[in-house]
Amino acid sequence: MRVVIGEGSCGIASGAKKVRQALESSGISNIGVTGCIGMCFLEPIVDILDDEGSLIKRLVKVSQNDAPRIAQALGADDLSIVEDLWIRPEDAAFLEKQTRIALRNCGVIDPESIESYRSRGGYEAIEKILSSGIKPEDVIEEIKLSGLAGRGGAGFPTWFKWNAARNARGDEKYLICNADEGDPGAFMDRAIIEGDPHTLIEGMLIAAYAIGASRAFVYVRAEYPLAITRLERAIAQANEAGLLGENILGTTFSCNLRIKAGAGAFVCGEETALIESLEGSRGMPRLKPPFPAEKGFTQKPSNINNVETFANVAWIIKNGGAEFAKLGTENSKGTKVFALTGKVKRGGLVEIPMGLTLRDVIFDIGDGVRDGKNFKAVQMGGPSGGCIPLSLLDTPIDYKALSATGAIMGSGGMVVMDETTCMVNMARFFLDFTAKESCGKCVHCRIGTKRLYEILTRITSGEGKEGDVELLEELCEGIKDGALCGLGQTAPNPVLTTLRYFKEEYIAHIAEKRCPAGECAALKRYEIDAAKCKGCTLCSKVCPAKAISGDVKKAHVIDVAKCIKCGACAEACRFGAVRAG
């Protein structure tokens, strides 16, 4: 038997390296490493495999203290010794309900071994193209047949961008991978690079061949050190194997690939700002047209796709575009990866065919909202997206349907919110992010997002006034119409969707000076339910302002004038008698 430990960033953060060290200290020698399989809610994960590599048993939430028992179980060939660590069938269903193409190797192969990737058909797609003499135009046609659209957010047809770059005039062309994943709550691209870097390389090789590029770049944010390390190793292995560099596999096709670590500016997710940064300038968007396909990196024809887009390419070439197109909807083909996060029981990476509903993902795969709370909304598309309420939970996941809600598919962030989330404060959070990340090139984004943030801050601080809602709406429309790039044009979406679906919360904040969710500290009013209070005096003892009074074994009372709204009383109460309204 062989032991494999999930060491993606999520696994390492949960203690996977310590688990591996403890297992090694317990005498287990045959230990391997893999990336994140997507079940982040169960990390650290230890898989027990047979000699052929098939899964015998998956152990979850493993701690370093479990290592001696695991060693004992392996030595005795009796895994019932660690039965308490076995994954539950209902949690195993998290993967069983998915269709994995971009994530097909993540959590399965050793991301630091080219042989591991090739054992699952890796590099067969590029070998098929080069050995069979398939023309670049035929590769593009296969991508067109698949219906693959850019997975970075806009959903633009991949084949069209490739074809535009191929047909552009120029002796030198460039291919660029956008791995500048900046959305709060999104980690799809990071997990793919950490868990299966060779699939990105192979997808980029196929794209480079199709558009006629001999130089390629992966622009990845420096905050992803593990992804960068594994990608560097994969590039070195591919070069050594003759799969990168000059005269690949003995053909006339050459392609050199290198990594550019970005400084972490959100605006560099916009392709022209990314190109500026790649050239060594400050990341600021360019006016379009001309588009990058005509004038991109160093003013030469360039094509940009994101990590997930490239991760689908080799599978499509091997299995055929028609197979990919069988999945999804009429307008949105194939699968899509989502980072399911927030107030959900089973958070992690989810890859599903387009067309499933939000309810399918959040309540079927994600098992619903945690801590017994009620679902309130889901934020789709990060700071550029919007909040979708309970009433629209059966919305199909495709580009057109999500756009109709006021949100967007985006790169794939899916942040679940429960009844304790204030939607006004949520909009403020995202506007704080976009205002700080604005490059400042255009007035509408530089000043408009700041004004939106200031108004939202005033409202959540109990200083909202009549006319603020109308002012927010007016500012949002002005910013959308006047901003230069996608950052500014989509920045108002969180405000517009919360106004559209949760306007009563804005009104409560402004007119009643009340936060219905009880989240905004300035508007909180702590009260003690006399029917639930047992008079234990714990709340009065922890109150730093001495605002609580009452006799032992009798209901206590909070003096609102003295209360500093710290919440210590609510945390101390064992009977749920203290409530914030």
Side-chain angles (χ1 to χ4, degrees):
M1 287 188 286
R2 184 165 175 263
V3 175
V4 174
I5 301 174
E7 288 195 20
S9 289
C10 54
I12 293 171
S14 299
K17 281 191 174 181
K18 293 180 180 178
V19 170
R20 174 159 56 89
Q21 291 166 357
L23 289 171
E24 289 170 345
S25 298
S26 298
I28 301 174
S29 58
N30 194 14
I31 299 177
V33 169
T34 188
C36 173
I37 200 165
M39 296 189 287
C40 305
F41 65 104
L42 295 176
E43 297 285 4
I45 296 173
V46 174
D47 286 343
I48 311 298
L49 311 179
D50 63 20
D51 293 336
E52 283 71 45
S54 299
L55 180 66
I56 298 174
K57 190 63 66 177
R58 175 159 288 148
L59 311 182
V60 299
K61 296 184 178 179
V62 180
S63 78
Q64 59 195 94
N65 296 329
D66 296 317
R69 288 197 302 132
I70 295 173
Q72 180 188 356
L74 293 174
D77 197 15
D78 181 9
L79 293 179
S80 66
I81 293 172
V82 289
E83 188 173 357
D84 57 307
L85 300 177
W86 293 3
I87 188 171
R88 300 183 306 165
E90 55 267 36
D91 287 334
F94 178 87
L95 285 180
E96 294 165 2
K97 294 174 180 178
Q98 299 182 40
T99 301
R100 294 163 71 90
I101 295 178
L103 300 179
R104 62 193 179 278
N105 294 323
C106 291
V108 178
I109 67 168
D110 180 349
E112 299 185 4
S113 166
I114 190 172
E115 290 78 14
S116 185
Y117 177 66
R118 300 193 85 160
S119 71
R120 288 178 58 86
Y123 289 113
E124 288 181 4
I126 187 64
E127 289 170 349
K128 171 184 174 182
I129 289 171
L130 297 181
S131 64
S132 303
I134 298 174
K135 295 179 180 179
E137 294 84 357
D138 295 331
V139 173
I140 294 174
E141 187 61 30
E142 200 66 42
I143 298 298
K144 181 179 181 180
L145 181 63
S146 74
L148 177 65
R151 296 302 194 241
F156 199 76
T158 301
W159 77 270
F160 191 93
K161 292 181 73 172
W162 289 16
N163 197 53
R166 172 153 193 85
N167 292 332
R169 294 180 179 178
D171 296 331
E172 192 171 19
K173 298 178 182 180
Y174 295 97
L175 182 74
I176 303 167
C177 172
N178 181 352
D180 190 58
E181 187 173 52
D183 287 8
F187 50 94
M188 301 76 59
D189 292 351
R190 186 200 75 206
I192 290 172
I193 299 175
E194 288 179 356
D196 190 14
H198 285 284
T199 202
L200 170 60
I201 295 172
E202 185 173 13
M204 292 185 70
L205 279 170
I206 293 168
Y209 175 79
I211 71 171
S214 59
R215 292 182 63 190
F217 303 91
V218 178
Y219 185 99
V220 58
R221 54 182 42 225
E223 292 98 324
Y224 286 176
L226 180 61
I228 292 173
T229 296
R230 288 182 175 168
L231 184 56
E232 285 175 338
R233 184 167 290 141
I235 290 172
Q237 291 172 349
N239 273 301
E240 187 176 347
L243 291 160
L244 275 176
E246 302 300 316
N247 303 117
I248 294 172
L249 298 177
T251 68
T252 58
F253 172 56
S254 299
C255 183
N256 291 283
L257 176 63
R258 72 177 182 88
I259 298 170
K260 162 68 175 179
F266 180 64
V267 73
C268 287
E270 196 278 335
E271 59 183 12
T272 60
L274 185 154
I275 290 171
E276 286 285 318
S277 178
L278 191 61
E279 291 176 349
S281 301
R282 182 180 177 184
M284 300 178 80
R286 300 173 179 174
L287 282 170
K288 293 185 289 189
F291 293 93
E294 183 182 356
K295 291 186 177 181
F297 181 66
T298 65
Q299 298 298 304
K300 302 291 178 60
S302 306
N303 178 82
I304 303 179
N305 292 115
N306 88 320
V307 175
E308 187 185 340
T309 307
F310 285 124
N312 286 289
V313 170
W315 189 96
I316 290 171
I317 296 302
K318 276 189 66 179
N319 297 277
E323 286 300 310
F324 190 81
K326 288 179 181 178
L327 301 167
T329 67
E330 183 63 29
N331 298 311
S332 303
K333 303 294 186 183
T335 62
K336 179 71 187 79
V337 180
F338 291 95
L340 184 60
T341 62
K343 306 293 184 66
V344 66
K345 291 180 182 176
R346 299 176 187 156
L349 285 177
V350 176
E351 184 173 4
I352 49 98
M354 298 274 204
L356 267 65
T357 66
L358 293 169
R359 187 185 301 275
D360 291 331
V361 174
I362 297 168
F363 283 89
D364 193 11
I365 297 175
D367 200 30
V369 181
R370 67 174 186 240
D371 301 328
K373 297 290 194 302
N374 294 315
F375 173 87
K376 187 172 188 177
V378 58
Q379 172 76 10
M380 294 287 296
S384 303
C387 297
I388 302 174
L390 175 64
S391 60
L392 297 178
L393 205 52
D394 292 311
T395 299
I397 296 172
D398 73 12
Y399 291 101
K400 188 174 181 180
L402 288 176
S403 180
T405 70
I408 60 173
M409 182 87 69
S411 60
M414 190 180 288
V415 184
V416 177
M417 293 166 276
D418 66 18
E419 60 199 273
T420 64
T421 303
C422 171
M423 303 312 294
V424 185
N425 196 46
M426 178 58 65
R428 188 186 73 88
F429 167 79
F430 281 112
L431 261 296
D432 180 34
F433 179 85
T434 49
K436 289 174 179 174
E437 292 293 338
S438 172
C439 74
K441 187 170 185 176
C442 65
V443 173
H444 291 80
C445 182
R446 181 180 71 243
I447 298 177
T449 55
K450 184 67 174 176
R451 296 292 87 84
L452 283 178
Y453 172 69
E454 289 172 351
I455 296 168
L456 291 168
T457 298
R458 184 157 47 76
I459 292 172
T460 56
S461 299
E463 299 173 4
K465 56 189 179 182
E466 187 178 348
D468 276 349
V469 168
E470 291 76 15
L471 181 56
L472 284 171
E473 292 173 334
E474 182 181 351
L475 273 170
C476 285
E477 293 305 324
I479 295 167
K480 287 183 70 174
D481 291 341
L484 175 63
C485 80
L487 188 154
Q489 292 162 7
T490 58
N493 284 348
V495 181
L496 289 171
T497 52
T498 51
L499 280 170
R500 180 175 175 181
Y501 301 118
F502 302 97
K503 184 174 281 189
E504 70 281 359
E505 290 199 26
Y506 283 84
I507 294 170
H509 280 72
I510 295 169
E512 304 170 25
K513 306 303 177 188
R514 178 177 64 87
C515 175
E519 183 181 1
C520 297
L523 297 176
K524 278 184 179 179
R525 180 186 176 93
Y526 285 93
E527 298 175 339
I528 295 177
D529 186 339
K532 293 182 178 180
C533 181
K534 306 298 181 182
C536 70
T537 74
L538 272 177
C539 58
S540 62
K541 289 177 180 177
V542 300
C543 179
K546 306 300 181 185
I548 303 175
S549 59
D551 297 328
V552 177
K553 296 186 179 180
K554 291 186 179 180
H556 283 44
V557 178
I558 298 176
D559 185 338
V560 178
K562 291 182 179 179
C563 179
I564 61 172
K565 304 172 183 177
C566 65
C569 54
E571 293 178 8
C573 183
R574 301 172 180 173
F575 309 104
V578 183
R579 61 191 178 195

